[in-house]
Amino acid sequence: MNAPLSTAAVRAQLYTEMSPLNLTPLWEVLHALVPPQPATPCVSALWKYEQVRPFLMRAGEAITADEAVRRVLILENPALRGQSAITQSLYAGLQLILPGEVAPSHRHTQSALRFIVEGTGAYTAVDGERTTMRPGDFIITPSWTWHDHGNEAHGPVVWLDGLDIPMIRFFDAGFAQNDSRKSQAVSRPEGTSLARYGYNMAPVRGNAPFGATSPIFNYPYERSREALDRLERDAPLDDWDGFKLRYVNPLTGGSPMPTMATFMQRLPPGFSGNPWRQTDGAVYSVVEGQGEIVIEHAGIQSTLAFGPRDHFVVPSWHTARFKSASGCVLFSYSDRPVHQALGIHQEERLS
Ligand code: 1HN
């Protein structure tokens, strides 16, 4: 007579024999599936511009914008290498366009934002209108709109691309097309969108031209900076964020894109903020000044010291706080609108 199998052996045999039918016992994975709090595989990370820039310029020598279609170095989360992702839902990259180059027209269902990091005078064209890029401008490419970029200025222009690529991939909902033309035809003078939608006014008739996406496609730095300046002078300081504003779709009051929220904040000199955590992982681009972000997760603390044009990522539910001795200005984006639409957004402000 065979000895009775141990409980463990009975289970192991059960799992082995069901596996060919693609069956898996939930009870072995349940805790990982519904963790007591977010358990992101992402880690925090910092990209110093002085280290990245030489590689961007080498890329400029190694491949043309035309050949590359988009000459971009992807900022990959160190824990998600090979996935073209900076968080589980978001993509980030630094794009270079040299004088005389054109990044050819195409469109895709992924939404994109551009945040201008270095250089003036390149343009991006969206749906028949061009806008000139200046450092600190926040520019939108709505889902499924034709877009091309060009540089008619004298120096290199670099910007941060933020896209919802991993999110669209998750939903298997991505489509893309190349245009028959390299540069799209311009059908409206530069500044028309801003005049129509950028002055707390809106056209009397007509629908939102880009559906759920903002009809303003360049939010100029000059104006964002002025708002922060005034708040710094006149408004109470927030102990977590300093002076922080979110960009809005003027037709809805919601985020500029359905999948991504964008923010700009000013930390005044001597700022030492309180810690917070939130479910939306966020990507930051440093516009002006220096500072530090102290990030704590699972008992491990790291301090990222940043300066102008550096980029960093704060993953979901990592506790973070800012310090800035000399003051700074930060742009950031996250997938918050999706969390909010699903009713799963959480934020804690700690002291
Ligand atoms: C894209 O279309 C751009 O238009 C930049 O500049 C980055 C990354 C993946 C897919 C499409 C652009 C991109 C992209």
Side-chain angles (χ1 to χ4, degrees):
M1 216 174 84
N2 292 334
L5 289 172
S6 69
T7 303
V10 167
R11 291 178 187 173
Q13 189 173 1
L14 173 65
Y15 305 163
T16 306
E17 290 179 19
M18 70 169 75
S19 183
L21 294 180
N22 303 306
L23 295 171
T24 294
L26 171 63
W27 59 90
E28 294 290 337
V29 293
L30 184 58
H31 292 294
L33 287 184
V34 283
Q37 54 179 14
T40 179
C42 299
V43 295
S44 60
L46 169 72
W47 290 263
K48 297 293 291 176
Y49 196 63
E50 69 196 29
Q51 294 182 326
V52 173
R53 192 179 189 280
F55 289 103
L56 263 176
M57 296 305 144
R58 273 171 65 182
E61 287 165 16
I63 191 164
T64 64
D66 195 41
E67 258 185 298
V69 182
R70 297 296 185 261
R71 189 202 286 114
V72 180
L73 300 185
I74 304 173
L75 307 181
E76 284 197 319
N77 193 288
L80 302 177
R81 294 305 308 272
Q83 296 184 38
S84 303
I86 191 160
T87 68
Q88 295 262 74
S89 61
L90 296 173
Y91 162 103
L94 288 170
Q95 180 159 177
L96 168 68
I97 188 157
L98 293 169
E101 288 189 322
V102 170
S105 178
H106 69 184
R107 63 179 177 176
H108 37 73
T109 47
Q110 291 82 358
S111 294
L113 68 86
R114 330 278 169 196
F115 186 72
I116 315 311
V117 167
E118 176 186 343
T120 292
Y123 67 83
T124 190
V126 170
D127 189 46
E129 187 175 331
R130 280 187 183 182
T131 190
T132 302
M133 298 174 160
R134 297 182 180 84
D137 289 356
F138 157 51
I139 295 174
I140 295 177
T141 309
S143 174
W144 207 240
T145 52
W146 296 112
H147 55 283
D148 50 89
H149 320 296
N151 184 346
E152 295 173 347
H154 300 292
V157 174
V158 176
W159 63 84
L160 171 69
D161 285 316
L163 288 92
D164 53 13
I165 288 173
M167 201 185 310
I168 302 303
R169 181 166 63 198
F170 173 81
F171 289 118
D172 286 333
F175 294 86
Q177 268 182 351
N178 289 324
D179 204 342
S180 54
R181 295 157 304 185
K182 197 165 160 184
S183 299
Q184 64 184 276
V186 172
S187 60
R188 286 190 304 278
E190 176 161 1
T192 306
S193 299
L194 194 67
R196 283 205 178 109
Y197 301 100
Y199 288 85
N200 297 318
M201 303 176 93
V204 178
R205 288 178 201 85
N207 296 324
F210 304 119
T213 300
S214 172
I216 297 179
F217 79 110
N218 188 344
Y219 294 74
Y221 184 52
E222 198 180 28
R223 301 173 92 200
S224 319
R225 190 70 180 89
E226 185 190 347
L228 294 177
D229 258 350
R230 297 213 164 204
L231 292 178
E232 184 174 0
R233 206 170 43 195
D234 299 330
L237 177 73
D238 181 272
D239 290 334
W240 290 264
D241 294 336
F243 303 97
K244 185 171 185 177
L245 294 172
R246 63 184 179 91
Y247 290 87
V248 296
N249 175 343
L251 298 181
T252 64
S255 58
M257 287 155 288
T259 48
M260 293 183 282
T262 49
F263 308 88
M264 190 168 274
Q265 75 195 98
R266 164 83 179 147
L267 307 180
F271 185 76
S272 181
N274 288 341
W276 83 93
R277 55 184 177 174
Q278 60 194 33
T279 52
D280 50 323
V283 180
Y284 288 79
S285 181
V286 183
V287 195
E288 296 178 36
Q290 325 267 338
E292 276 179 16
I293 183 165
V294 183
I295 302 174
E296 201 246 274
H297 186 67
I300 298 167
Q301 183 174 299
S302 55
T303 299
L304 310 178
F306 56 76
R309 299 170 174 164
D310 292 348
H311 294 85
F312 57 91
V313 57
V314 184
S316 168
W317 220 240
H318 282 43
T319 301
R321 67 192 148 93
F322 279 121
K323 292 181 188 175
S324 179
S326 55
C328 61
V329 178
L330 307 171
F331 171 84
S332 59
Y333 68 98
S334 83
D335 56 0
R336 187 177 303 184
V338 182
H339 293 234
Q340 290 174 326
L342 301 179
I344 55 165
H345 186 255
Q346 291 205 44
E347 179 184 39
E348 272 182 10
R349 305 186 110 198
L350 311 161
S351 52

